[in-house]
Amino acid sequence: MQSSCAEIQATVVNRVLEITINRPERKNALTMAMYTAMADLLNNAANDKHIRVALITGVRGIFTSGNDLLDFLGGSANEGDSPVSQFMLALYNFPKPVITAVTGVAVGIGTTMLLHCDLSIIADDAMFQLPFVNLGLCPEYASSYLLPRIMGNAKASELLMMGEKFDAQTAVDVGICNEVVHPGEALRVAKKYALKLAEKPPEALRITKKLLRQATHDKGMEFIRKEADYFQQRLQSEEFKEAANAFLEKREADFSRFD
């Protein structure tokens, strides 16, 4: 299976599609082309009987630092037919098991995509963050719906409103991820799980995944659309422009002039 983007690598071994984010010079920050490539790979794999499991990881000890802000400054990153939205829907509706191997930073969608994966194996050096409010934005990818269901309103409010970093053990404790391992072991352990799943009855796995997610699927889609509408508005806001420019200029953002 071929990727349409050099910064997204794809291999298929033993019925497992391995998708590797490969942009280490920018801490694996995601561009529109990278989102398109990942969406295409997942959509093709969904209908490929030779693929039973997908595994997502990143190169050089980094999962992803989130979205490339230069792409987002264009203001159309989360429109309904954008590459970001296409990737979100491809992963959200993927009928087969998805495993992630997370090392290093997992920022923004690097954290929210884990809510839509089935098993997440993380290194003890992994660091997570949901910095949307800090950037003048709002939650995405149904995180405002799913996080309170997973960990309760208090912890979800802390992670989404404070936007501070949290570590690997916290990610497991609050129910986002499954297992913490040593950094050099994350991909190996994730592959072990992937191979075990690939050997199981494929239809039984698909039905089990469907049943596990059926109760939240429609409501999750509603929140994905609702959050995307707000997110798109926020991309046009002066608060986001201040936050993005401050990031690019390597200075502290100043929101004191906003009401």
Side-chain angles (χ1 to χ4, degrees):
M1 185 171 289
Q2 295 292 318
S3 169
S4 61
C5 174
E7 292 162 327
I8 297 295
Q9 299 175 340
T11 58
V12 178
V13 179
N14 296 323
R15 298 187 174 184
V16 176
L17 167 64
E18 185 174 327
I19 298 173
T20 304
I21 305 169
N22 181 34
R23 197 187 181 205
E25 71 279 5
R26 293 296 302 274
K27 296 184 178 179
N28 287 344
L30 298 168
T31 64
M32 296 299 137
M34 294 165 74
Y35 275 117
T36 295
M38 290 192 293
D40 289 345
L41 288 168
L42 288 171
N43 286 329
N44 290 335
N47 299 309
D48 189 333
K49 65 181 181 180
H50 300 296
I51 294 174
R52 294 187 175 183
V53 181
L55 189 158
I56 304 174
T57 191
V59 299
R60 298 190 190 176
I62 303 169
F63 190 55
T64 174
S65 58
N67 295 298
D68 189 310
L69 280 182
L70 291 176
D71 276 358
F72 269 50
L73 283 170
S76 60
N78 267 43
E79 289 182 350
D81 60 349
S82 74
V84 179
S85 294
Q86 292 302 310
F87 167 72
M88 286 182 175
L89 293 178
L91 179 58
Y92 190 77
N93 293 309
F94 193 70
K96 304 171 185 180
V98 181
I99 299 176
T100 52
V102 180
T103 57
V105 296
V107 177
I109 198 165
T111 297
T112 60
M113 78 164 74
L114 304 182
L115 303 175
H116 309 288
C117 298
D118 302 293
L119 294 172
S120 292
I121 310 303
I122 59 176
D124 58 16
D125 70 343
M127 189 62 64
F128 303 84
Q129 189 176 16
L130 299 164
F132 306 113
V133 168
N134 300 346
L135 293 170
L137 299 171
C138 68
E140 51 145 41
Y141 213 174
S143 56
S144 64
Y145 171 62
L146 292 173
L147 286 176
R149 290 179 60 89
I150 293 170
M151 62 187 68
N153 286 329
K155 193 64 180 180
S157 296
E158 176 189 335
L159 297 184
L160 285 171
M161 298 179 78
M162 295 301 295
E164 295 179 349
K165 296 176 182 179
F166 57 99
D167 63 16
Q169 191 57 55
T170 300
V172 171
D173 290 344
V174 299
I176 295 176
C177 301
N178 295 86
E179 183 179 349
V180 180
V181 298
H182 292 301
E185 292 290 292
L187 183 57
R188 184 190 68 79
V189 174
K191 285 183 176 181
K192 181 184 73 173
Y193 279 109
L195 289 173
K196 284 184 177 181
L197 287 173
E199 293 171 352
K200 293 184 182 294
E203 186 176 7
L205 272 180
R206 292 193 298 270
I207 292 171
T208 299
K209 176 168 180 169
K210 182 177 181 179
L211 290 170
L212 282 167
R213 296 180 179 270
Q214 189 166 1
T216 59
H217 185 273
D218 291 348
K219 197 69 174 179
M221 279 299 307
E222 177 185 331
F223 269 77
I224 288 174
R225 296 188 183 102
K226 185 180 298 185
E227 289 171 346
D229 288 341
Y230 278 114
F231 204 102
Q232 188 61 33
Q233 295 171 27
R234 298 305 304 160
L235 288 174
Q236 309 298 327
S237 72
E238 292 301 316
E239 290 180 347
F240 171 69
K241 291 176 184 176
E242 166 60 18
N245 287 326
F247 176 82
L248 295 172
E249 294 166 11
K250 298 182 179 179
R251 60 174 174 81
E252 290 292 325
D254 180 6
F255 301 111
S256 60
R257 63 187 171 91
F258 298 107
D259 296 327

